[in-house]
Amino acid sequence: MSPARLLLLFVLLLALLLSLSNSLALYVDWLWFGEVGYQSVFTTILLTQAFVGALFGVVFFLVFFANVYLAGRHQPTRYWGTVDTLVLLRFAEPLRRRLGLTIGGVAGILALIAALGGATHWEEYLLFRQAVPFSQTDPLFGKDLGFYIFTLPFLTYLQEWLVGLVLFSTIGAGALYFLTHGIVIGPRTVHVERQARLHLGLLATVLIGVKAWGYQLDAYELLYSRRGVVFGAVYADIHAALPILQGLIALCTLTALACVLFALQAVWRPAVLLGGLTLAVATVGLSLYPEFVHRFQVVPNESMMERPYIAQNIRLTRLAYGLTDVQEEVFPAEQELTAAGLVRNNLTIKNVRLWDHRPLLATYRQLQQIRTYYDFVDVDNDRYVVNGEYRQVMLSPRELSYKNLPSRIWINEHFTYTHGYGVAMGPVNRISPEGLPEFFMQDIPPVSTIALKVTRPEIYYGEIPNDYVFVRTRAEEFDYPSGEKNVPATYTGRGGVTGLSFSRKLVFAAYFGSLKILLSNDILPESRILYHRHIRERVAKVAPFLRLDQDPYLVITQSGRLVWLVDGYTTSDRMPYAQPFGRVGNYIRNSVKAAVDAYDGSVDLYVSDPQDPLIQAYQRIFPGLLKPLEQMPGDLRAHLRYPQDLFTIQSHIYATYHMQDPQIFYNKEDLWSIPKKQDKDMEPYYTIMKLPKGSNAKETPKEEFILLIPFTPAKRDNMAAWLAARSDVPHYGKLIVYLFPKQKLIYGPRQVDARIDQDSAISQQLTLWSQRGSQAIRGSLLAIPIEDALLYVQPLYLSASEGALPELRRVIVAYGNQLRMDSNLEAALEGIFGSGATPPAVGARRAMPLQPAIAAIQPSTTPSVLAKQALEHFNRAQSALRDQDWTRYGDELNKMRAVLEELAKK
């Protein structure tokens, strides 16, 4: 067998294997979409890919084949007799005999490439077909913003594709004319036969016409220019680049007419001259002239000449990131907060988060992991009504960690250990006497100390699943450990693909690359295979057009089920003039809330921003996929929260784009920055608090769940403002910024951190903790607005260097120029504001006040007895120090001090 045939056989086998692999993947996906009830999404995407790919492929094949075949059929009217042309004709004759097959093969390969490339643009095609107006126009061309987001991307690809199609056809036809003596290159001249001249002249006319259309599309692309001081079309783009593009369109029109003249009359000089001129203007003019204007005309007068374009950039950037309706209020930051004020805001104090995510996650793993094959991946903030009070809680699901299974055999990973179990949940600010978190829910099976219960604790769908598991098999499925025994489980949910006949087992064995699936006798026809079990993966497959939040969170419903909530974003990088942000693009909306049941894997998508034109377009494309938010169950809707990813993006943009005056924006006179901690931007944090009274006097402030972030002036550390996002109805999604008075110095987070570092008592305590194998961990410094004042709270944790069980040992409170560290938040607040500042928290560890210790001493005690008592307290304090029991250590020192003071009076 010849090498050519071997190569052809290899290519055919490779194509067959790829086709089989793709067919398997499509069938497995078809079954999965049927499981979740969204086969219409699968068929819409697949049929659109097939249609768009076929359309581009067929058109490419027909146009290329017709043009090249026509050139190949050319019969020369005259043979010039040169040696070169005679040699070429020898090659042309065998080609003519197999002309259709040869050209068809080449056209087929190119058409396949065109079809595969076109199929990848299925989403752009659908958005082009289902475009929705924004009802706002761009400032340069007056077109609706929807044109740039929905229409322009597909037109740009279509234009580039047409250029490629006509260019390949022209090159192919020219090559065949050269072979068939239609074009003869002589020593002094080039001879072009009439058929070749007509054909190639018309192709050149079409090519130049398509290129002229491209220049028109390039004019729209000026709205994404990065040339000037802001993103978008600036002075040089509008007064230099745009006229050149318009001139190129005119030159292309003239060149196309010259090509028609060449085709009809064989007059070639105008086409060559105009073509060369067009190429020179495109090459030199577009790159040099606008840059020359920008550098030598605009830059010396930049603030004045760029002013209108800065204004458009500000307006459209604020629109693109949902910042047009930010409510501005003044926060006076008075130093008049009293104990009575704290009592009025008692619920805010009760919900100050003292447990950071990382220390709490490490503590949960030590206290609630139960078995090595369980793991806590993340801790989420949420709020529940607990015993009639609105409480912020930290909740973490106990998931199955397959990498930590005691025996990672195939049966264990895919039949026996199938799911995680239960959750750990506790308040954000409660601590035990040992400095550990208190729990509302804990243990296996779940034990709850509040009214809310978990009735379906199994977690089959989570954040760290494996590829697939089988349920309802002959093998015993593990549910949870109970002492020395394991409790078995039988899956009763509707998740997974059923009907596992021999043929389906064969399909899944091939798809997952495991022959054991086919050979296993434990799999029954009624068994179910659960795959695509990662919650973000499930949502991404159902709604591939969404960008998903990085932090899904678990909710316990009123019926006791566990449901994951995932925020979905519609994004684009095609908003004119809007400043881009990283890889997000320059437009974002939190348009979708996805709910995934942790037990049966059901996926429901709800539209949270129905005003977003992008989500309106996707609702047209995928009817029935997206439900109105009103259809979400009330017990889930009560736990919707403003997403942290979106708020982080908005806060970074708002730090610059709160300045709406172009001159102030240009000079960066009021530029803000997000405070940094260890060279990283401070993260936004959730809290329950009562927002200060603003301009809306009719609204009675009450505690609500908000997300906030402070701002400081650029290159300075004092406070400038803080931004809050509201999560509770009826104010969900509203943004409020509170501005600090510029004439008053308000300490920022870094300044408070520096004051803590400089406090001698705190430094001594941290130094003491860092000795004898311990490590002091400073938690997040939280700024807590209370009425018209600002309070800073920072927890301190103690962890053994060789262990991973952080204990919350101290809380630091800063208010104005006052700083206090104590064993808990209530005690620290009382140290600043006096007794009665807060009601005592039930179960919270409290430092022993000094006055009760003095009152406990009998006045008639003799000096010798007092001396013995002081020595006893000293010895107990030393014992507590050796045990690192800092609470008992402080209490004993207080008692010893009281005894010594009484002794001094004697």
Side-chain angles (χ1 to χ4, degrees), residues 39-199:
Q39 281 184 333
S40 61
V41 175
F42 178 83
T43 54
T44 297
I45 295 174
L46 184 63
L47 292 178
T48 304
Q49 289 175 331
F51 171 74
V52 175
L55 180 64
F56 280 97
V58 169
V59 171
F60 195 102
F61 180 88
L62 293 176
V63 172
F64 182 85
F65 181 85
N67 281 281
V68 180
Y69 186 79
L70 179 62
R73 296 284 296 173
H74 168 257
Q75 293 291 342
T77 58
R78 176 183 173 186
Y79 292 98
W80 295 89
T82 64
V83 176
D84 293 340
T85 55
L86 291 175
V87 171
L88 289 173
L89 285 173
R90 288 186 178 182
F91 285 104
E93 287 305 319
L95 178 63
R96 267 203 195 95
R97 289 195 294 269
R98 292 177 295 198
L99 185 63
L101 183 62
T102 303
I103 296 176
V106 175
I109 294 173
L110 294 177
L112 179 62
I113 296 172
L116 294 175
T120 61
H121 291 266
W122 65 270
E123 189 174 355
E124 292 176 5
Y125 170 76
L126 288 175
L127 290 174
F128 171 77
R129 290 286 306 274
Q130 303 294 343
V132 175
F134 272 67
S135 300
Q136 294 197 47
T137 58
D138 78 273
L140 182 57
F141 300 103
K143 287 186 171 292
D144 188 272
L145 297 178
F147 168 79
Y148 298 96
I149 289 182
F150 298 112
T151 306
L152 185 58
F154 184 73
L155 292 182
T156 301
Y157 174 73
L158 181 62
Q159 187 270 336
E160 293 172 351
W161 181 84
L162 286 173
V163 168
L165 169 62
V166 180
L167 186 61
F168 272 100
S169 299
T170 303
I171 293 172
L176 265 294
Y177 279 122
F178 186 70
L179 286 174
T180 59
H181 217 63
I183 300 175
V184 179
I185 302 176
R188 298 181 179 179
T189 184
V190 177
H191 303 279
V192 182
E193 297 249 338
R194 183 175 183 276
Q195 177 184 332
R197 189 180 71 246
L198 283 170
H199 190 183

Side-chain angles (χ1 to χ4, degrees), residues 329-330 332 690-697 699-701 738 787-788:
E329 301 289 349
V330 175
K690 189 185 297 183
L691 287 173
K693 287 184 178 181
S695 57
N696 187 4
E699 183 181 331
T700 302
Y738 289 89
E787 296 187 350
D788 291 334

Side-chain angles (χ1 to χ4, degrees), residues 699-776:
E699 183 181 331
T700 302
K702 66 174 184 177
E703 284 78 7
E704 55 183 297
F705 192 62
I706 68 166
L707 181 63
L708 65 85
I709 188 75
F711 292 108
T712 61
K715 299 179 181 180
R716 292 174 59 192
D717 293 329
N718 59 289
M719 289 286 276
W722 57 279
L723 181 67
R726 308 173 78 171
S727 294
D728 291 347
V729 292
H731 307 296
Y732 177 86
K734 292 184 179 179
L735 298 175
I736 306 178
V737 62
Y738 289 89
L739 307 174
F740 289 89
K742 293 185 178 181
Q743 69 275 13
K744 185 186 297 186
L745 174 64
I746 310 298
Y747 289 127
R750 292 189 67 174
Q751 291 173 320
V752 174
D753 254 333
R755 290 182 58 212
I756 293 173
D757 290 335
Q758 294 164 8
D759 186 275
S760 58
I762 296 176
S763 298
Q764 289 175 7
Q765 183 70 75
L766 293 176
T767 302
L768 181 64
W769 277 352
S770 298
Q771 298 172 354
R772 305 182 62 178
S774 298
Q775 179 185 9

Side-chain angles (χ1 to χ4, degrees), residues 191-212:
H191 303 279
V192 182
E193 297 249 338
R194 183 175 183 276
Q195 177 184 332
R197 189 180 71 246
L198 283 170
H199 190 183
L200 295 177
L202 292 176
L203 282 175
T205 301
V206 174
L207 179 62
I208 294 170
V210 173
K211 187 60 182 174

Side-chain angles (χ1 to χ4, degrees), residues 6 131 168 198 243 266 504 534 611 638:
L6 283 173
F168 272 100
L198 283 170
R504 284 196 176 179
H534 194 290
Q611 303 304 316

Side-chain angles (χ1 to χ4, degrees), residues 398-570:
R398 186 184 293 105
E399 297 199 54
L400 189 68
S401 175
Y402 286 90
K403 66 180 181 180
N404 293 324
L405 286 176
S407 176
R408 295 192 62 182
I409 60 176
W410 187 74
I411 290 289
N412 280 351
E413 290 195 9
H414 300 288
F415 286 80
T416 305
Y417 295 93
T418 57
H419 58 274
Y421 202 90
V423 300
M425 184 176 85
V428 294
N429 71 332
R430 296 280 293 277
I431 52 178
S432 70
E434 295 79 20
L436 300 175
E438 289 192 2
F439 291 97
F440 288 151
M441 291 187 184
Q442 60 181 323
D443 298 341
I444 300 177
V447 176
S448 176
T449 60
I450 58 178
L452 187 66
K453 309 294 181 185
V454 176
T455 59
R456 180 57 73 185
E458 301 91 343
I459 302 175
Y460 284 87
Y461 299 87
E463 295 187 87
I464 52 170
N466 63 355
D467 293 338
Y468 62 93
V469 294
F470 290 92
V471 294
R472 298 188 195 174
T473 64
R474 287 194 180 96
E476 186 176 89
E477 183 184 352
F478 168 77
D479 197 15
Y480 62 88
S482 179
E484 299 296 326
K485 298 181 180 180
N486 293 331
V487 177
T490 300
Y491 184 73
T492 58
R494 55 189 177 90
V497 174
T498 188
L500 299 182
S501 60
F502 178 82
S503 58
R504 284 196 176 179
K505 288 170 62 177
L506 180 62
V507 167
F508 284 115
Y511 180 78
F512 289 111
S514 176
L515 186 61
K516 295 176 182 178
I517 295 177
L518 184 64
L519 301 179
S520 175
N521 294 323
D522 292 324
I523 302 175
L524 304 171
E526 62 270 21
S527 297
R528 291 175 174 264
I529 178 172
L530 281 57
Y531 55 102
H532 297 320
R533 297 197 298 144
H534 194 290
I535 48 177
R536 294 183 73 247
E537 181 187 7
R538 290 180 81 78
V539 177
K541 288 191 73 68
V542 170
F545 51 86
L546 292 177
R547 183 187 183 98
L548 300 181
D549 194 90
Q550 298 298 312
D551 185 26
Y553 60 102
L554 199 66
V555 170
I556 305 172
T557 67
Q558 290 296 325
S559 62
R561 295 184 72 91
L562 302 179
V563 178
W564 293 95
L565 291 183
V566 186
D567 285 286
Y569 309 108
T570 48

